[in-house]
Amino acid sequence: MKKGRNKRSLVRCLILLSALLFLACPLGIYAQSGKMSDNTQPSAENRIFLGFSRSSAGDGEDAEGDGQSAANYIFIDSSRKYQGMDAPFAKGYEPSVSKNEMMLVIPFVSDTKLDKNRITVGIDFESGQGNPFYYKNYRKQVKQSGEGVFLYKCRLKLKKDRMNGQYPLHLWAEGMAEGSLIRQEFIIYVEITDGMPKIADGSAASCAPGEDGKAGGRGNLSDEDLSGGGLSDGNLPGDESLSGDGGPQTEDSEFAGSATPSEEEKSSQPRLMICQNSLQGNALEAGTSTVWNVSVQNCSSHASVENIKITLVSESKDIIFEKNAWYFEKVLPKNTMELSQNLTVAKKASVEPAAVQFQIEYEDAKGGSYTTTEEVRLLVRQPQQAGIANLSFPEQVYATDTEFLNFQVQNTGLSTIYNVTVRLEAKGLFPQSEVFLGNMEGGSSADGEQKVFVGTLNMDEEGNISGEGGEKYGDTSGVVILSYENEQGDVTEQKLELHTSIQQAESVELSIEEQKPKSNQWWITIVFFVISALLLVIIWLYLRMKHYQGMGRT
């Protein structure tokens, strides 16, 4: 009886142990909250399982699944398979691993039109023990393909002595849309299953992957590990210690620890941000040089940052920067870095905001590598240049007359001037009204004419005689005032002097000669014609008589 009971107890223990081991196996894709998806379980080595969540820059909230929402502009396409992927994200995409390198392919899509059809993507790593990745700068610009996807590809260098477990990657993607910066942050969880398994005391097993079962203790690091795995300049490897916290762990506690970072990994990332900009709210005038001071602060109250490199990037061709890179060895908590230089703006610079990015690469005291980007916008304005030309007014005028003031307004600058008006102010001269010319584009001109009533020198502005005994006529002077506004409504006035002489009105006497009335002598003409006719008849009769007398003689 006792032997039968012992056998049944042993069978129950084996069944219970098998169930615990089955539950402790990796189950595929994990969301940020730690929930497991229903993908199939891994059964082969060298498999890396990936899940992701997304947070919109500035809102501080994570989304499940592909994270698509109306408030976000850049997200990961989890439903389609792209080049370099064995399956879509939703169906268990597995990045390929070869020679300690993981080929990561992330398809980004956007629901808004991005400037120049490109985005910038980068990866930030968490510092801490047992991180399987070498810290490098994986920042790159990605152009939009014909399918409308921004396909980000990179090769992540893996440590040979990496341990199995789940590790987060902090991805960020940013782009410009209608002059505004859109930045999106994602958290991607990579499940390593082809590394060294952990044992109960938290340390790695003795055999390193790829060594065919040969002993490889935690102190046996290769030359590649010691040299940083061929890292680029300025990128330091993370803490490569393989030991755990030294406390006893069961298999269940080990599985829970793979999804929950240690207290050291939970330490907050030191943030660097621009805290002061000397040109904030001030516009740069085209054709001038200006000193620009920017302060970048270590916002952490307890952590220092080291090995800081700040790179200035701008696509504006109208602004010439004196410097585009700075290096600082170390910055203490709450201290600032001063970036100072001279800016030169081209004379024909476009009147539009110029985006300037500060790409900051830095490390914490434990060698963790971080990248961040700060952006400022510089305003550029063109100086307004306008004046009055071809001013015409008589040098001598007479009281009570109305004369015309003719002129031409020329906008010789490159920017538009608004609400252009011209008015006359002079003693003894009274313009009918000011002349309004409206808005004028750069390089344009407009002609104007103003009616001016000529009074006397002893008249006030309202046209009333101010006093007796004052001079009424003589030389007078005044100003023609040109007024216009810029984009902000600031008024500019230019004055041009005008000189003339007011003379007394001339009186012209008109003398009218009296004319005698003319008599009507039409009858004289009739008498003249009658007498002429009688004379002709007499002459005709005389000649006729002479003719007949000659014939009688013959």
Side-chain angles (χ1 to χ4, degrees), residues 329-342:
E329 184 176 356
K330 185 176 182 179
V331 179
L332 298 177
K334 294 298 182 181
N335 282 14
T336 60
M337 296 170 283
E338 303 299 329
L339 314 180
S340 179
Q341 64 171 319
N342 290 323

Side-chain angles (χ1 to χ4, degrees), residues 232-279:
S232 60
D233 294 340
N235 295 282
L236 300 178
D239 187 1
E240 300 180 10
S241 173
L242 303 179
S243 61
D245 57 5
Q249 296 180 349
T250 64
E251 293 189 10
D252 291 338
S253 64
E254 177 188 348
F255 177 76
S258 64
T260 304
S262 64
E263 293 298 327
E264 183 178 1
E265 292 176 344
K266 285 184 178 179
S267 61
S268 61
Q269 171 187 346
R271 298 287 183 180
L272 300 182
M273 297 180 63
I274 292 178
C275 62
Q276 186 176 2
N277 175 15
S278 63
L279 295 179

Side-chain angles (χ1 to χ4, degrees), residues 54-245:
R54 185 186 69 167
S55 66
S56 176
D59 60 8
E61 297 180 358
D62 293 335
E64 296 182 358
D66 61 1
Q68 185 177 357
S69 68
N72 297 322
Y73 299 94
I74 303 175
F75 51 92
I76 296 178
D77 186 359
S78 62
S79 61
R80 299 175 61 187
K81 172 185 173 183
Y82 296 93
Q83 182 180 5
M85 303 175 62
D86 60 349
F89 272 81
K91 295 184 179 181
Y93 161 62
E94 302 172 7
S96 61
V97 176
S98 176
K99 297 182 180 180
N100 294 318
E101 285 186 346
M102 182 179 71
M103 182 63 184
L104 183 64
V105 180
I106 307 294
F108 292 97
V109 291
S110 174
D111 56 6
T112 189
K113 176 67 174 178
L114 298 178
D115 296 349
K116 298 185 178 180
N117 294 325
R118 71 172 67 178
I119 62 173
T120 303
V121 184
I123 301 178
D124 295 335
F125 299 95
E126 288 190 354
S127 61
Q129 296 181 350
N131 196 317
F133 306 103
Y134 284 117
Y135 297 124
K136 297 181 67 175
N137 185 6
Y138 296 100
R139 174 193 180 97
K140 65 171 63 176
Q141 289 187 341
V142 184
K143 292 185 178 180
Q144 189 177 27
S145 66
E147 300 177 354
V149 65
F150 302 89
L151 198 60
Y152 173 73
K153 297 181 180 181
C154 70
R155 295 184 180 273
L156 300 179
K157 182 73 174 179
L158 299 174
K159 300 176 183 178
K160 286 186 177 181
D161 49 3
R162 57 187 175 275
M163 292 183 293
N164 291 338
Q166 187 184 37
Y167 302 94
L169 293 177
H170 296 267
L171 272 77
W172 53 268
E174 63 183 19
M176 302 294 296
E178 298 180 353
S180 301
L181 178 65
I182 298 175
R183 182 182 175 91
Q184 211 71 34
E185 296 181 357
F186 306 83
I187 301 178
I188 291 182
Y189 293 88
V190 178
E191 182 75 18
I192 301 293
T193 60
D194 68 337
M196 296 184 299
K198 294 181 181 179
I199 58 177
D201 61 354
S203 61
S206 60
C207 291
E211 297 294 334
D212 297 331
K214 295 182 180 179
R218 35 181 293 205
N220 299 333
L221 299 179
S222 64
D223 294 338
E224 182 180 7
D225 297 326
L226 295 176
S227 63
L231 297 177
S232 60
D233 294 340
N235 295 282
L236 300 178
D239 187 1
E240 300 180 10
S241 173
L242 303 179
S243 61
D245 57 5

Side-chain angles (χ1 to χ4, degrees), residues 13 88 194 219 230 270 308 544:
C13 290
D194 68 337
I308 307 105
R544 182 180 177 86

Side-chain angles (χ1 to χ4, degrees), residues 517-531:
K518 295 181 180 181
S519 60
N520 193 355
Q521 298 180 351
W522 58 270
W523 57 271
I524 297 176
T525 304
I526 297 175
V527 172
F528 173 76
F529 280 108
V530 170
I531 292 172

Side-chain angles (χ1 to χ4, degrees), residues 18 55 98 207 230 266 366 378 385-387 389 439 446 449 467:
S18 300
S55 66
S98 176
C207 291
K266 285 184 178 179
K366 300 176 182 178
L378 300 178
Q385 300 173 355
N439 303 335
E449 184 180 72

